[in-house]
Amino acid sequence: MAIYYLTVFEKNGEKLLDATFEAQSEKEAKEIGQQKLEENNFTDKTHRCTSSSGNLVLFAR
């Protein structure tokens, strides 16, 4: 399992969420990341999800 990092920002740069989680694949990480965004009502905020190796899995501005 790989470790993934989900970060959500306000437009002014304030960090709203900084979470880590494990997933079997990038596809699963994208699904988990999207679920966490929906649970916290952050889908309309700037966010990114990256793997521990630096791959960008999910991004929105």
Side-chain angles (χ1 to χ4, degrees):
M1 282 201 160
I3 297 175
Y4 293 86
Y5 304 91
L6 179 63
T7 310
V8 179
F9 300 95
E10 247 334 327
K11 296 290 183 196
N12 65 4
E14 175 188 356
K15 197 181 296 185
L16 300 175
L17 178 70
D18 196 8
T20 60
F21 60 91
E22 291 185 347
Q24 294 280 349
S25 66
E26 287 189 3
K27 180 181 177 185
E28 182 183 14
K30 186 175 181 177
E31 292 170 1
I32 292 170
Q34 191 65 45
Q35 180 182 9
K36 288 183 179 291
L37 291 169
E38 291 170 5
E39 287 172 359
N40 293 290
N41 296 317
F42 289 148
T43 54
D44 62 337
K45 302 288 183 186
T46 300
H47 57 270
R48 69 175 176 222
C49 182
T50 58
S51 68
S52 55
S53 62
N55 292 342
L56 187 61
V57 177
L58 185 63
F59 178 79
R61 238 193 210 176

